[in-house]
Amino acid sequence: MYNPYGDAADLHQQQQHADVQAQAQAQAQAQAHLQNRQFNLHYPQPQHPTFQQNQFAQSPHLNQAHPQQPNNAFPTFLNDPAASLATQFARSGFESSNQYIQKNFGSFISGTGDIKYYFQVSNSYVLRKILLIVFPYRNKNWNRLTNQEATGDPSPTAQTSFAPPIHDVNAPDLYIPLMAFVTYILLWASFQGLKGDFHPQLFGYLASQTLAFSVIDIAIFKIGLYLLNCSSQSTLWDLVSFSGYKYVCIIVLLCWKHLIGDGYLTYYPVVLILIANLAVFLMRSLKFLVLPNATGATSNSVTTKQRRIRVQFLFLYSVIVQGLIILFMSR
Amino acid sequence: MFGLGKLLYVIILTVNGIAVLSEDRFLNRIGWGSSSGNSNGGGPQYQQYNTGLDSSDGASVKSKIINLIGAVRTLMRIPLIAINIVIILYELILG
């Protein structure tokens, strides 16, 4: 075997069998060299001749035995033109199939490339956003900043894009909903455990139930947007993000219920206050999706009757649908 | 409890219900046929739904619902047959 550390040990042993083995080895090396020469005629490999000649020069002394040949061929396997042709073909085929999928089904797989935008959050953003969800009355401006206003450099694409959550407290993000979802499941399971009711399948039941409610919630909003003909640049992840902010309220309610009490006077006013605050927060944040922008020049402007229907829909969604879900999930 | 499996059943049953609505026996009788969606502002009884209509077609809520029902019926009939067969087999074999 090829020994990179030199042949100190082997050399010592082989000195005794030097003559007999040297002849046999010389013959074997000559044959191997010839074969490799023929090999080289078909597949020119610049490493082979020099390597073999090196060995051939030192063959009587060193005990580099027969496995040189396959050992030589192995690391240079990928230099084989046939193999490189195959990798080229595979690479181009993979790229073209990827492009085909992106072109035809990219709209269905709904923006898998753009989700990093929703996770660019900072500690101050998270704190301010949670305070905003619970008490939305101190915020003055609810418009989302565009990239240009926030950092001063124009966006690379022609369409103006919104600033990420680091720069803008009104931007939706996916960090808070995801964390709140997990926290809700863990909190519920721990409270069940305090009651003595815990079993490990509880996690599965809770996750499945919560996901089902989320699906219904987002489906209601999407159908509402479609029926009301609201043309806006909202992606699915925006809706997921806004629908996930209610988990923060649910967590607060759960903690309140278990720490302070479940009576009519201590619990239900808190429920109503939190639902009202969340409704105000959602109505103000989702206004940009449902109603046309005051400054932007949209192609079709809505009439007052349509505007009223849209506002009613927004109110219905924010108060009633979210309120029912919150009541059910924090029982 | 109420989980993702039950939600899937609810969705499929609802879409089944929309897909079996008969065009000429039911939808035309109550004025929700696809032909009445095209001729907006045709008769006097439709005018109350046209106040929100502007240059874009299908802008009123009613015409959008009519379009949606028509689209579900056209597109989802054949996949629904397959999905229903799968669910029936699942219920038969695994209870």
Side-chain angles (χ1 to χ4, degrees):
Chain A
M1 291 259 288
Y2 177 57
N3 193 356
Y5 296 113
D7 323 292
D10 291 348
L11 208 56
H12 191 65
Q13 283 183 358
Q14 294 306 322
Q15 292 293 345
Q16 312 167 15
H17 315 279
D19 349 29
V20 177
Q21 293 228 352
Q23 276 186 7
Q25 289 218 354
Q27 278 184 6
Q29 290 284 350
Q31 276 186 4
H33 192 61
L34 268 181
Q35 284 178 9
N36 273 342
R37 267 286 156 83
Q38 285 175 354
F39 222 33
N40 286 339
L41 282 179
H42 301 293
Y43 305 109
Q45 289 164 3
Q47 298 185 11
H48 269 237
T50 57
F51 202 22
Q52 286 294 345
Q53 285 177 4
N54 230 354
Q55 293 176 357
F56 198 57
Q58 310 173 14
S59 66
H61 304 289
L62 305 173
N63 189 17
Q64 318 287 346
H66 329 284
Q68 277 313 315
Q69 203 170 337
N71 210 9
N72 250 351
F74 183 65
T76 60
F77 162 66
L78 285 178
N79 280 356
D80 207 3
S84 68
L85 198 66
T87 54
Q88 272 285 14
F89 178 70
R91 194 177 303 143
S92 75
F94 180 66
E95 272 177 19
S96 72
S97 74
N98 212 10
Q99 274 178 6
Y100 175 76
I101 290 184
Q102 278 293 93
K103 189 158 57 97
N104 288 340
F105 302 116
S107 57
F108 292 150
I109 315 185
S110 88
T112 47
D114 203 23
I115 205 175
K116 275 195 280 207
Y117 163 85
Y118 294 99
F119 284 104
Q120 297 170 359
V121 291
S122 61
N123 278 343
S124 67
Y125 169 79
V126 171
L127 199 59
R128 278 163 50 189
K129 193 80 175 189
I130 292 183
L131 283 178
L132 208 61
I133 294 175
V134 174
F135 193 73
Y137 303 110
R138 293 198 52 176
N139 197 14
K140 303 285 184 263
N141 181 21
W142 290 86
N143 297 325
R144 289 176 71 177
L145 304 173
T146 60
N147 250 334
Q148 206 147 359
E149 292 166 8
T151 54
D153 52 354
S155 62
T157 66
Q159 189 184 17
T160 61
S161 56
F162 289 115
I166 281 189
H167 301 122
D168 181 19
V169 79
N170 293 324
D173 73 314
L174 279 177
Y175 173 78
I176 291 181
L178 195 64
M179 289 292 145
F181 171 69
V182 176
T183 307
Y184 164 70
I185 293 183
L186 293 177
L187 256 189
W188 185 286
S190 64
F191 284 137
Q192 289 291 101
L194 285 176
K195 267 195 275 190
D197 252 348
F198 177 75
H199 51 97
Q201 291 95 354
L202 198 61
F203 289 125
Y205 289 159
L206 278 177
S208 154
Q209 183 178 341
T210 315
L211 281 176
F213 271 123
S214 302
V215 169
I216 292 181
D217 191 358
I218 296 175
I220 290 180
F221 198 69
K222 260 288 187 183
I223 292 179
L225 281 184
Y226 167 73
L227 286 181
L228 290 175
N229 206 18
C230 304
S231 66
S232 60
Q233 66 267 46
S234 69
T235 67
L236 183 64
W237 297 116
D238 282 347
L239 298 184
V240 172
S241 153
F242 280 119
S243 142
Y245 285 140
K246 64 176 177 294
Y247 296 130
V248 177
C249 291
I250 295 176
I251 291 175
V252 171
L253 280 178
L254 266 187
C255 291
W256 186 280
K257 182 172 13 175
H258 280 93
L259 285 178
I260 300 194
D262 202 6
Y264 274 114
L265 212 52
T266 54
Y267 178 60
Y268 283 103
V270 177
V271 172
L272 291 176
I273 290 176
L274 275 178
I275 291 182
N277 287 350
L278 181 76
V280 169
F281 169 76
L282 277 181
M283 280 195 286
R284 288 185 181 166
S285 298
L286 291 174
K287 199 172 54 157
F288 85 101
L289 282 180
V290 173
L291 297 175
N293 224 357
T295 61
T298 56
S299 58
N300 49 345
S301 55
V302 294
T303 66
T304 46
K305 186 172 186 334
Q306 268 193 341
R307 200 185 176 89
R308 242 179 342 160
I309 295 184
R310 289 187 184 185
V311 170
Q312 281 173 5
F313 161 72
L314 193 58
F315 178 80
L316 181 80
Y317 173 77
S318 301
V319 175
I320 300 193
V321 172
Q322 304 279 350
L324 285 176
I325 294 181
I326 288 180
L327 276 176
F328 184 69
M329 287 178 74
S330 64
R331 67 193 180 284
Chain B
M1 300 206 73
F2 173 63
L4 280 175
K6 290 221 169 88
L7 180 72
L8 185 71
Y9 278 10
V10 165
I11 289 180
I12 292 197
L13 286 176
T14 314
V15 179
N16 273 346
I18 295 182
V20 299
L21 293 175
S22 162
E23 170 79 41
D24 57 350
R25 273 191 280 267
F26 176 67
L27 292 178
N28 283 339
R29 295 275 181 84
I30 66 170
W32 274 28
S34 55
S35 59
S36 68
N38 288 338
S39 62
N40 272 324
Q45 68 264 34
Y46 300 137
Q47 277 180 359
Q48 52 183 323
Y49 295 105
N50 287 339
T51 50
L53 192 61
D54 46 350
S55 59
S56 67
D57 288 334
S60 71
V61 180
K62 184 170 179 267
S63 64
K64 284 235 161 192
I65 296 182
I66 294 172
N67 276 343
L68 193 61
I69 293 180
V72 167
R73 288 179 58 241
T74 320
L75 286 179
M76 292 294 289
R77 280 221 163 133
I78 299 186
L80 269 182
I81 294 177
I83 296 177
N84 281 333
I85 290 181
V86 168
I87 291 186
I88 289 173
L89 285 178
Y90 170 79
E91 289 282 330
L92 279 179
I93 296 178
L94 296 174

